[in-house]
């Protein structure tokens, strides 16, 4: 097999999302290259145990997958994860949960985590708002929302007292997901906020007014609000901390990410004392995890030791699909819902919803 042929190989259709069904006869699992023989699984052989599904009494695809090789074990593991998550409905919170997604270190997956967890919750039938207060506007891009200089954005809400209801836009890929976009004007908002009255509380007040507007118009209340912060601890981030009641911290599984965490926690403690006593660090998500390295495992173990209650069981791996999705103005949930990255964010969203 040539390298071009190998690169175009696809996962067999029986392991794609939503296609788990009984397997009859031999199933071939392609090897990595031409020198590797194909492994054949025969579901009718005595070595395979099948169990009946509750719906149609058909044998489960998991039981028909030979796990004697690393590739087959990985396929079986991901199929089990898909089956657990497929069509899962998540509970609605008693009141709107507002998360600030923050880490002063850049490149740890703040925006990626924000948009993908929001999309996962929206796909489960929950009403979700993403507020993009990062001047780069990457969250707006990932959700397919226009955010050029002529668009009303969260800048107008913070500086010009425009209603949040006049700024939010519908995400084209998901009915339950809306976004308040960011524009380049936010780059100067930190300076403009300095002279304004109640500068730390402006986002919180805008959210409160928007909630009342939705209630008056007969719309369903929001279940989740996620605020995507810039990689800094300026007034924009302070506004996000004052508006939220929970903090979600994505941590890259590398040493530098741990260094910035202590300073972030000190700043959150100051916000709790002086501006928002209800704020808690409720969730920590490990991102860009590479299971092949000892460093990633060590960082993950250290974070879990210090924050056993906050760290999610779900871990987001390094994934090309997650990186590719924004270039198509999509989240990985719609770009490739069967990828390992999408499954990880679905698991993380389920954990958050069930806490």
């Amino acid at each position: 097999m040539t390298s071009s042929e190998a690169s175009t190989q696809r996962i067999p259709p029986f392991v794609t999302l939503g296609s788990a069904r009984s397997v009859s006869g031999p199933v071939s699992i392609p090897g990595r290259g031409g020198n590797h023989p194909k492994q054949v699984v025969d579901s009718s052989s005595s070595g395979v145990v099948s169990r009946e599904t509750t719906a149609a009494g058909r044998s489960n695809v998991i039981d028909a997958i030979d796990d004697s090789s690393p590739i087959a074990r990985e396929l079986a593991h991901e199929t089990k994860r898909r089956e657990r998550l497929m069509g899962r409905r998540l509970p609605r919170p008693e009141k709107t949960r507002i998360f600030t997604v923050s880490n002063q270190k850049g490149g740890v997956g703040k925006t990626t985590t924000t948009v993908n967890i929001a999309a996962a919750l929206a796909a489960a039938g929950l009403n979700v708002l993403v507020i993009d207060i990062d001047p780069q506007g990457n969250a707006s891009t990932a959700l397919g929302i226009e955010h050029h200089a002529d668009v009303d954005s969260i800048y107008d809400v913070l500086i010009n007292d425009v209603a949040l209801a006049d700024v939010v836009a519908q995400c084209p890929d998901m009915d339950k997901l809306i976004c308040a976009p960011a524009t380049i004007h936010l780059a100067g908002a930190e300076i403009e906020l300095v002279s304004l009255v109640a500068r730390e509380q402006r986002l919180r007040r805008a959210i409160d007014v928007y909630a009342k507007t939705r209630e008056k118009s007969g719309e369903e209340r929001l279940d989740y609000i996620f605020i995507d912060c810039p990689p800094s601890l300026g007034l924009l981030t302070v506004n996000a901390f004052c508006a939220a009641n929970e903090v979600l911290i994505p941590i890259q599984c590398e040493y530098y990410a741990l260094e910035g965490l202590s300073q972030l926690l000190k700043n959150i403690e100051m916000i709790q004392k002086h501006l928002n006593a209800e704020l808690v660090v409720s969730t920590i998500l490990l991102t860009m995890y590479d299971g092949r390295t000892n460093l990633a495992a060590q960082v993950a173990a250290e974070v879990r030791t210090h924050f056993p209650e906050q760290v999610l069981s779900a871990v987001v791996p390094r994934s090309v699909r997650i990186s590719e999705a924004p270039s198509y103005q999509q989240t990985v949930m719609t770009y490739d819902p069967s990828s390992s990255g999408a499954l990880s964010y679905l698991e993380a969203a389920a954990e958050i919803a069930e806490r």
Side-chain angles (χ1 to χ4, degrees), residues 305-333:
T305 299
H306 287 87
F307 306 97
E309 306 253 328
Q310 291 87 355
V311 181
L312 298 178
S313 299
V315 175
V316 180
R318 287 192 178 275
S319 169
V320 174
R321 292 302 193 193
I322 292 176
S323 302
E324 287 176 347
S327 64
Y328 293 89
Q329 296 191 338
Q330 294 184 56
T331 65
V332 75
M333 297 297 143

Side-chain angles (χ1 to χ4, degrees), residues 124-300:
L126 301 171
N127 298 305
V128 185
L129 165 65
V130 172
I131 298 177
D132 188 0
I133 61 167
D134 186 347
Q136 297 176 88
N138 292 336
S140 307
T141 299
L143 296 177
I145 308 297
E146 289 189 357
H147 59 101
H148 52 78
D150 297 329
V151 172
D152 285 340
S153 69
I154 200 69
Y155 167 85
D156 299 288
V157 174
L158 295 174
I159 305 300
N160 300 324
D161 294 322
V162 173
L164 189 57
D166 297 332
V167 168
V168 295
Q170 177 68 50
C171 177
D173 296 323
M174 297 204 169
D175 295 335
K176 296 279 189 176
L177 182 58
I178 56 177
C179 174
T183 61
I184 193 61
H185 297 309
L186 270 178
E190 303 248 350
I191 298 172
E192 296 181 65
L193 280 169
V194 170
S195 60
L196 298 180
V197 176
R199 58 193 180 189
E200 301 93 351
Q201 306 287 342
R202 296 181 76 83
L203 182 58
R204 180 173 192 165
R205 292 179 181 178
I207 291 173
D208 290 342
V209 171
Y210 180 57
K212 293 175 183 176
T213 301
R214 287 180 67 96
E215 186 179 355
K216 286 181 182 178
S217 62
E219 296 179 79
E220 291 184 341
R221 72 164 170 83
L222 293 169
D223 297 306
Y224 290 89
I225 298 175
F226 290 92
I227 306 172
D228 183 35
C229 294
S232 66
L233 295 171
L235 275 173
L236 289 175
T237 302
V238 170
N239 261 271
F241 283 142
C242 291
N245 43 40
E246 299 181 57
V247 181
L248 192 165
I249 305 176
I251 296 181
Q252 184 182 6
C253 292
E254 293 186 4
Y255 175 73
Y256 286 141
L258 291 178
E259 275 198 327
L261 182 59
S262 59
Q263 183 60 42
L264 175 63
L265 294 175
K266 288 178 182 177
N267 281 275
I268 292 173
E269 189 176 346
M270 288 179 59
I271 299 292
Q272 291 169 328
K273 286 181 179 179
H274 302 290
L275 295 170
N276 184 4
E278 297 178 357
L279 187 67
V280 294
V281 178
S282 66
T283 310
I284 295 176
L285 177 63
L286 298 170
T287 63
M288 303 182 193
Y289 182 82
D290 189 344
R292 299 169 300 178
T293 66
N294 290 331
L295 176 61
Q298 290 168 1
V299 171

